[in-house]
């Protein structure tokens, strides 16, 4: 008999947390089978002619979880380790995230199994266009609106937009968000997820009678989200003591010069393993995660705060910038240790909130200024946080359970009043 696999499954993890939230929140389970299962899972195979004349076939996905509250919404990631289970989990989290933020979207997610660093720009463009062509029947400004995610950016969205618009026979800016401002993107979108992480941190600290200024922060991951969060923390007076990227981590007990680090990383090919400055030491990823700090921000990939790490962290709070960075086993340990965790479905919702703002601007053919966008983002997140905090008080549960309860109440209600077709 084969041994039972203990490999982390992000989709099973997401369903397990939802089931627990349904129990704690006394939510009617009649519609749960609908909510836990995606409406559609699509796998596509993408032939691309490489620069050397050879043809390589890549594997891609698009999972549409729920459109009960509005069009599907979710990013596209390029990563060599992506799996269907991961994309399913991310689509579920997007549905929950949109419900928590109370914006009229459902959840979806997409991705291509590829290491984009091994492709030329021409190959990357060809792969993106082929993927867009493959999923074109599924997406659209009223049906499913992709956005950037891990290893994708505004350039990627520009290629998706152009491909879809060519197929549609007219410019269709509302088909994607996170695109360049010149093509209908929103000001403030690029930094929105990182800004939302800082807003989440400020709201949490305020409830504990503290402020952001002088707070000691550790950030795992210096991609778009981590880097923007680091800069905004730094400019708001927080002390960012440690950061990391794929090459390793750096730490300074007196605080890092985030502007200097950001400027260093802007040079193509630059990695933190090569960064050097007075007082900066190079440490391992585990040493970074277990360094003493006030706020720990996991901003890399899923499954980084494991049971082992949870036992050793020396932070007062965790604010999840990445999707699914904490395992269910780790959550239990953190709860026992009295370390509050602000969950991903709220903490990193800034990106999808400003994506919604971008979509609204496209539909109405309007352009909003950055200050207006940032102010609206802070207002929406503050309102959502108060709703979550109220549920924490109501049930004496964790912030994660509270956020899931808030989201599931809305999804279940929407399913109940709609009913099952036919």
């Amino acid at each position: 008999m084969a041994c039972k696999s203990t490999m982390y499954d992000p989709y099973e993890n997401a369903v397990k947390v939802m089931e627990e939230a349904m129990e704690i929140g006394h939510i009617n389970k009649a519609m749960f089978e609908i909510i836990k299962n995606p409406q559609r899972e699509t796998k596509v195979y993408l032939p691309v002619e490489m620069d050397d004349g050879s043809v390589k076939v890549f594997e891609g996905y698009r999972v549409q979880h729920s459109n009960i509250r509005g069009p599907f919404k979710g990013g596209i990631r390029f990563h060599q380790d992506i799996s269907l289970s991961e994309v399913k989990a991310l689509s579920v989290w997007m549905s929950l995230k949109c419900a928590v933020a109370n914006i009229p979207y459902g959840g979806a997610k997409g991705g291509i199994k590829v290491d984009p660093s091994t492709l030329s720009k021409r190959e990357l463009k060809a792969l993106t266009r082929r993927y867009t062509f493959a999923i074109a029947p599924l997406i659209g400004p009223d049906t499913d609106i992709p956005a950037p995610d891990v290893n994708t950016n505004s350039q990627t969205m520009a290629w998706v937009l152009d491909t879809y618009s060519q197929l549609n026979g007219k410019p269709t800016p509302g088909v994607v968000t996170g695109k360049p401002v010149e093509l209908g993107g929103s000001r403030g979108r690029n930094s929105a997820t990182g800004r939302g992480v800082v807003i989440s941190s400020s709201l949490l600290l305020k409830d504990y009678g503290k402020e952001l200024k002088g707070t000691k922060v550790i950030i795992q991951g210096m991609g778009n989200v981590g880097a923007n969060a680091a800069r905004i923390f730094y400019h708001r007076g927080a002390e960012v003591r440690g950061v990391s990227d794929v090459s390793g981590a750096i730490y300074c007990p007196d605080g890092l010069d985030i502007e200097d680090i950001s400027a260093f990383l802007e040079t193509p090919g630059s990695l933190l393993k090569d960064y050097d400055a007075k007082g900066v030491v190079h440490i391992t990823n585990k040493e970074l995660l277990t360094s003493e700090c006030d706020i720990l921000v996991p901003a890399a990939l899923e499954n980084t705060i494991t049971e082992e790490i949870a036992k050793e962290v020396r932070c007062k709070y965790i604010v999840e910038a990445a999707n699914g960075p904490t395992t269910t086993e780790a959550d239990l340990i953190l709860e026992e240790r009295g370390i509050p965790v602000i969950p991903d479905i709220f903490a990193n919702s800034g990106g999808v909130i400003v994506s919604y703002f971008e979509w609204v601007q496209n539909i109405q053919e309007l352009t909003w200024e950055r200050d207006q966008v940032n102010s609206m983002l802070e207002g929406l997140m503050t309102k959502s946080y108060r709703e979550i905090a109220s549920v924490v008080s109501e049930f004496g549960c964790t912030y994660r359970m509270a956020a899931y309860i808030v989201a599931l109440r809305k999804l279940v209600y929407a399913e109940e009043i709609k009913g099952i077709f036919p």
Side-chain angles (χ1 to χ4, degrees), residues 20-278:
E20 188 179 348
M22 298 283 282
E23 289 283 350
I24 292 172
H26 310 301
I27 299 170
N28 183 357
K29 292 184 178 179
M31 295 293 176
F32 185 62
E33 284 301 310
I34 298 175
I35 290 169
K36 82 173 187 181
N37 292 300
Q39 290 178 213
R40 181 185 287 117
E41 299 174 20
T42 303
K43 181 189 285 189
V44 293
Y45 293 94
L46 313 165
V48 175
E49 185 177 351
M50 309 303 282
D51 289 344
D52 63 4
S54 65
V55 174
K56 189 170 181 180
V57 178
F58 296 87
E59 192 173 288
Y61 308 97
R62 188 67 181 175
V63 176
Q64 296 172 321
H65 173 253
S66 171
N67 63 354
I68 182 63
R69 301 184 72 252
F72 298 109
K73 184 81 183 80
I76 297 168
R77 62 174 52 185
F78 292 173
H79 199 275
Q80 63 273 21
D81 296 326
I82 199 169
S83 66
L84 181 58
S85 174
E86 178 186 9
V87 178
K88 283 171 67 176
L90 290 163
S91 72
V92 171
W93 287 325
M94 278 301 300
S95 289
L96 296 169
K97 192 180 299 183
C98 293
V100 167
N102 205 27
I103 54 177
Y105 281 147
K109 210 73 177 188
I112 301 173
K113 199 176 185 68
V114 61
D115 179 354
S117 68
T118 64
L119 271 59
S120 69
K121 186 174 181 180
R122 189 206 67 80
E123 291 168 337
L124 205 56
K125 177 167 68 172
L127 177 61
T128 303
R129 288 185 179 277
R130 184 71 193 201
Y131 174 73
T132 307
F133 176 80
I135 66 166
L138 307 177
I139 64 174
D142 301 317
T143 52
D144 184 352
I145 306 115
D149 199 77
V150 175
N151 292 329
T152 57
N153 53 27
S154 60
Q155 173 63 80
T156 318
M157 294 306 104
W159 291 331
V160 174
L161 167 60
D162 184 61
T163 306
Y164 184 87
S165 295
Q166 295 287 348
L167 292 169
N168 202 32
K170 63 179 180 180
T172 316
V175 71
V176 292
T177 59
K179 53 194 173 289
V181 172
E182 294 79 5
L183 297 179
S186 176
R187 292 176 175 85
R189 171 61 184 86
N190 187 56
S191 62
T193 309
R195 185 174 300 279
V197 170
V198 179
I199 292 169
S200 303
S201 302
S202 299
L203 291 165
L204 175 66
L205 289 170
K206 189 175 180 181
D207 270 3
Y208 282 84
K210 300 176 182 179
E211 58 180 29
L212 203 57
K213 189 174 182 180
T215 298
K216 300 170 183 64
V217 180
I218 295 284
I219 300 174
Q220 180 214 22
M222 280 291 278
N224 173 270
V225 178
N228 277 298
R231 281 193 289 269
I232 297 166
F233 271 122
Y234 181 74
H235 287 299
R236 292 197 180 184
E239 193 177 279
V240 182
R241 288 188 165 191
V243 296
S244 71
D245 65 9
V246 292
S247 70
I250 57 174
Y251 179 84
C252 180
D254 298 322
L256 297 164
D257 185 339
I258 297 300
E259 283 299 335
D260 187 59
I261 293 168
S262 297
F264 172 81
L265 292 176
E266 281 177 9
T267 303
S270 296
L271 295 168
L272 287 176
K273 68 180 177 64
D274 301 316
Y275 180 78
D276 189 36
K278 185 179 179 181

Side-chain angles (χ1 to χ4, degrees), residues 28 89 103 154 212 242 278 308 315 319 328 337 409-410 412:
N28 183 357
I103 54 177
S154 60
L212 203 57
K278 185 179 179 181
E308 178 191 3
C315 59
V319 179
T328 50
R337 293 187 60 195
R409 279 175 172 173
K410 293 174 184 176
V412 167

Side-chain angles (χ1 to χ4, degrees), residues 297-310:
V297 179
L301 294 171
E302 298 83 25
N303 195 26
T304 54
I305 309 293
T306 60
E307 190 174 357
E308 178 191 3
I309 296 294

